[in-house]
Amino acid sequence: MDKSVVITGLGVITPFGKGIEAIRSHTFAGRHGFTDIESFSTALNHAKRGGELKVKDRTFRAFSRYCIDEALAMAGLDRMKDRELLKDAVVAIGNVGEGVSLESYYSAQYGRKTSGNSGLQAAVDDSFIRQRDPFRAAEEAAAYIGSTNVHIAFSNACVASANAIGYGYDQIRKGRASCALVGGIHILNPFVFNNFDSNRAMASGVVRPFSLERDGLLISDGAAMLLLETREHARQRQAKPLAELLGWGISADGFHVTQPHPEGNGLARAMQAALRSANLSPADIDYINAHGTGTPLNDRSETKAVKQVFGKEAYQIPVSSTKSTTGHMLEATGAVEAVIGILALMDQRIPPTANYGTPDPTLDLDYVTEGVRAAPLQIVMSNSSAFGGNNCSLILGRGKDE
């Protein structure tokens, strides 16, 4: 039985809108989606902008269900009619809980503390926060499609959804499921926005990865869900694979809670692990979608990591950062960038690093700064890194017609 893992459906939300056409018309065109934040006040903040989708229903449930419905429809499935098949699906969702609700909870907690109220438990119902913890997103997604298999949440920051995709891959390869619904969600909220802003990690204007003028990231809305299944399972359903998930790797720097290893050692290990998992050599990679946050430390570290893994080949491989248009979708970013990698394979085009300014003499790879580039792509790598020293790398291959 062919246990290679293919992606047969996907659904995605970005600051540009819902669906893949919004990505094609913005990310592949080098058009960013940064605007002034409207869903909460930034009057006291240094940063005022982000990648905000202008919709009324800004809930995990709304974002999740849209992406699930789109992924199932693209895969030729219906969550009600195909209940028996979806019952076996593993569900893995990257997220850290619904931030707007958490902000309200912690504000109430702070108010109780400063008021000197000793009857703390009477003031705030702790079940409120339990209903909005990261596991809730996975639990609700599983219930929505009728899955009775494993459902799990990954909350390891900005690698969470990439980790979720890798987990789904492993479960299928080990024969524990014939399919998996995997992805992640992040919705802009003051709780997280204020933390990044207080650290002065945010860009003053737009995000400029790998440029000499780069001065930070901008946080964005984002969500993506992907349906994974064995190639044999897809063949039996006569479903056409969009792409193949060839392998993945994960690592930890063991260096600093917020700074990447200066030589990129942790990310290098994740890329090397992904290559081993996929049984590939560095020369097999046609394009790298970089983590590329646009911060001084990340871009330098990631460039060194790529050189460490690919050696002389590093100068021949296009490396671009699509966060230059989408912004940083935190826990959702790995899944959304996996979708971008799939579109690159489908369209045979490499998305550019937008907003590029003055070249940094210490960063000398091919960052695809001239605009979208046509290229014969067979295999792409997508990198994610996170606070806590987390790193994750996914390898995707072009879908093959059966």
Side-chain angles (χ1 to χ4, degrees):
M1 181 178 178
D2 189 349
K3 286 191 176 181
S4 58
V5 178
V6 296
I7 298 113
T8 54
L10 58 86
V12 64
I13 291 175
T14 60
F16 322 121
K18 297 178 178 179
I20 58 176
E21 292 308 319
I23 294 176
R24 283 180 167 134
S25 63
H26 286 79
T27 292
F28 282 82
R31 296 168 55 201
H32 71 75
F34 306 126
T35 60
D36 289 343
I37 302 294
E38 296 178 6
S39 59
F40 55 87
S41 174
T42 60
L44 300 179
N45 292 91
H46 173 74
K48 309 290 185 185
R49 309 181 85 202
E52 184 179 58
L53 180 63
K54 310 301 184 184
V55 292
K56 290 183 179 180
D57 193 349
R58 299 178 53 76
T59 61
F60 269 30
R61 179 173 294 180
F63 277 43
S64 174
R65 289 188 174 183
Y66 170 82
C67 291
I68 292 171
D69 288 342
E70 286 292 298
L72 293 180
M74 194 176 290
L77 296 171
D78 181 278
R79 72 180 184 89
M80 299 306 295
K81 294 178 182 178
D82 295 296
R83 216 67 170 175
E84 191 63 30
L85 183 153
L86 293 172
K87 184 171 68 174
D88 183 53
V90 164
V91 175
I93 310 295
N95 75 107
V96 293
E98 199 147 3
V100 172
S101 301
L102 292 172
E103 172 79 4
S104 300
Y105 175 83
Y106 287 120
S107 293
Q109 291 279 40
Y110 179 76
R112 293 186 318 185
K113 181 178 179 180
T114 56
S115 68
N117 182 4
S118 59
L120 298 184
Q121 295 305 317
V124 176
D125 182 359
D126 284 345
S127 66
F128 178 87
I129 194 168
R130 289 198 297 273
Q131 291 170 6
R132 289 157 178 82
D133 68 15
F135 180 69
R136 190 72 171 180
E139 187 176 53
E140 289 190 352
Y144 187 61
I145 66 169
S147 168
T148 57
N149 206 331
V150 173
H151 46 285
I152 185 170
F154 287 89
S155 57
N156 43 346
C158 305
V159 304
S161 58
N163 197 162
I165 292 170
Y167 177 83
Y169 170 89
D170 282 350
Q171 296 302 295
I172 291 172
R173 292 280 293 179
K174 291 174 181 177
R176 295 172 181 168
S178 56
C179 61
L181 179 70
V182 296
I185 313 167
H186 174 78
I187 298 177
L188 271 166
N189 65 86
F191 183 64
V192 173
F193 189 89
N194 292 343
N195 284 337
F196 275 86
D197 188 57
S198 65
N199 288 331
R200 293 296 186 265
M202 309 277 252
S204 56
V206 295
V207 181
R208 300 184 183 276
F210 306 113
S211 299
L212 187 64
E213 302 94 336
R214 68 190 186 278
D215 63 349
L217 55 85
L218 289 174
I219 301 175
S220 297
D221 291 328
M225 299 291 173
L226 297 85
L227 188 75
L228 313 181
E229 51 188 315
T230 64
R231 186 178 294 278
E232 181 63 28
H233 191 265
R235 185 182 293 122
Q236 290 173 0
R237 296 196 307 107
Q238 297 184 323
K240 181 181 178 180
L242 305 173
E244 182 176 350
L245 182 55
L246 298 172
W248 76 296
I250 193 165
S251 71
D253 286 355
F255 173 71
H256 191 274
V257 69
T258 58
Q259 296 178 17
H261 191 282
E263 299 302 316
N265 291 352
L267 180 56
R269 288 196 297 274
M271 288 189 280
Q272 290 163 342
L275 288 168
R276 288 194 300 271
S277 170
N279 195 28
L280 295 171
S281 70
D284 293 319
I285 303 299
D286 297 317
Y287 161 60
I288 299 172
N289 186 300
H291 186 58
T293 57
T295 60
L297 293 180
N298 175 88
D299 295 2
R300 186 180 305 121
S301 172
E302 186 165 12
T303 294
K304 289 183 177 181
V306 171
K307 291 178 179 179
Q308 189 178 146
V309 173
F310 292 89
K312 292 181 180 179
E313 294 286 342
Y315 295 94
Q316 309 304 318
I317 301 172
V319 179
S320 73
S321 170
T322 51
K323 288 183 181 69
S324 58
T325 59
T326 65
H328 199 337
M329 297 159 285
L330 304 186
E331 305 82 47
T333 201
V336 174
E337 288 172 4
V339 169
I340 292 170
I342 292 167
L343 292 179
L345 288 164
M346 291 172 63
D347 298 348
Q348 295 291 279
R349 298 189 303 162
I350 298 172
T353 299
N355 314 318
Y356 190 77
T358 306
D360 183 332
T362 67
L363 308 182
D364 55 354
L365 299 181
D366 175 6
Y367 300 116
V368 194
T369 59
E370 77 282 6
V372 65
R373 182 188 299 175
L377 302 177
Q378 294 297 321
I379 300 173
V380 304
M381 174 180 279
S382 183
N383 289 338
S384 298
S385 296
F387 284 171
N390 295 291
N391 305 282
C392 192
S393 186
L394 304 174
I395 299 181
L396 300 158
R398 193 175 185 190
K400 300 174 183 177
D401 292 331
E402 297 299 326

